[in-house]
Amino acid sequence: DAVIDFVVDVADVLAAVHDRDFTHRDLKPDNIILTPGDPGFAVRVIDWGIALAAAGARFTNMNEAIGTPAYMAPEQARGGPTGGHCDVYGLGVVAYQALTGRAPFVGATSVEILVQHLNRPAPALAPRCPDAPYGLVELVERMLAKSFAERPSAAEIRSSLGKLRTARQ
């Protein structure tokens, strides 16, 4: 339940910025602050230093892989187009880690981790977290799809988990 609430709260932030054509591009636990004492904002997404606006000034070059390798979407690792789908993938990695205690891909070097993001499906979540509700497991696995066209949007994540949260109450 705590992971569902957390992912919904982060998806709320992402949906709002994606609606304004911004992409964070470095979503990871270090950039998410829990603020339980603030009823209006349960989480804060910080470090927008490499964020990208769809229209406007560019601070990084196109075709440049930028972000943290352990949380980087495959298309981002290739230096391809970034958008909300990259943030969704990063949130999928964070959710996977929150449920299992480890990221889906680990390696001795950043290159080893990136190669796995590019070429290997994430290890099945259900055996690593058997008590997680099926709807959450299925959604996190979709968030980690190699093809960004197969990933849900942040708004879809928020909606799906909102329904799951209501059904569990």
Side-chain angles (χ1 to χ4, degrees):
D1 290 339
V3 173
I4 290 171
D5 291 344
F6 167 77
V7 174
V8 167
D9 289 342
V10 176
D12 279 340
V13 173
L14 294 178
V17 298
H18 294 166
D19 283 348
R20 289 165 179 80
D21 291 328
F22 280 89
T23 305
H24 188 280
R25 299 197 306 170
D26 197 22
L27 195 67
K28 59 185 178 182
D30 291 352
N31 290 339
I32 302 169
I33 296 177
L34 303 178
T35 54
D38 185 341
F41 297 98
V43 300
R44 299 193 190 214
V45 177
I46 63 168
D47 192 359
W48 293 83
I50 64 169
L52 178 70
R58 296 191 65 86
F59 299 105
T60 58
N61 296 324
M62 189 64 153
N63 301 322
E64 180 180 341
I66 189 165
T68 303
Y71 301 91
M72 194 178 293
E75 63 276 12
Q76 192 173 0
R78 283 187 206 94
T82 58
H85 47 83
C86 293
D87 291 343
V88 165
Y89 188 92
L91 180 56
V93 175
V94 171
Y96 188 104
Q97 188 173 4
L99 290 166
T100 67
R102 61 170 284 213
F105 302 114
V106 294
T109 67
S110 295
V111 172
E112 284 182 31
I113 295 168
L114 286 174
V115 166
Q116 292 176 71
H117 279 292
L118 288 166
N119 299 311
R120 290 184 48 204
L125 182 55
R128 292 172 186 248
C129 192
D131 295 332
Y134 172 77
L136 176 60
V137 168
E138 186 271 335
L139 183 63
V140 171
E141 289 179 346
R142 283 190 2 202
M143 292 164 69
L144 294 172
K146 296 299 178 199
S147 168
F148 65 81
E150 296 175 17
R151 291 182 213 138
S153 68
E156 291 168 334
I157 294 166
R158 181 180 57 200
S159 174
S160 294
L161 291 181
K163 291 174 188 170
L164 180 61
R165 184 169 42 190
T166 300
R168 291 180 57 82
Q169 292 177 346

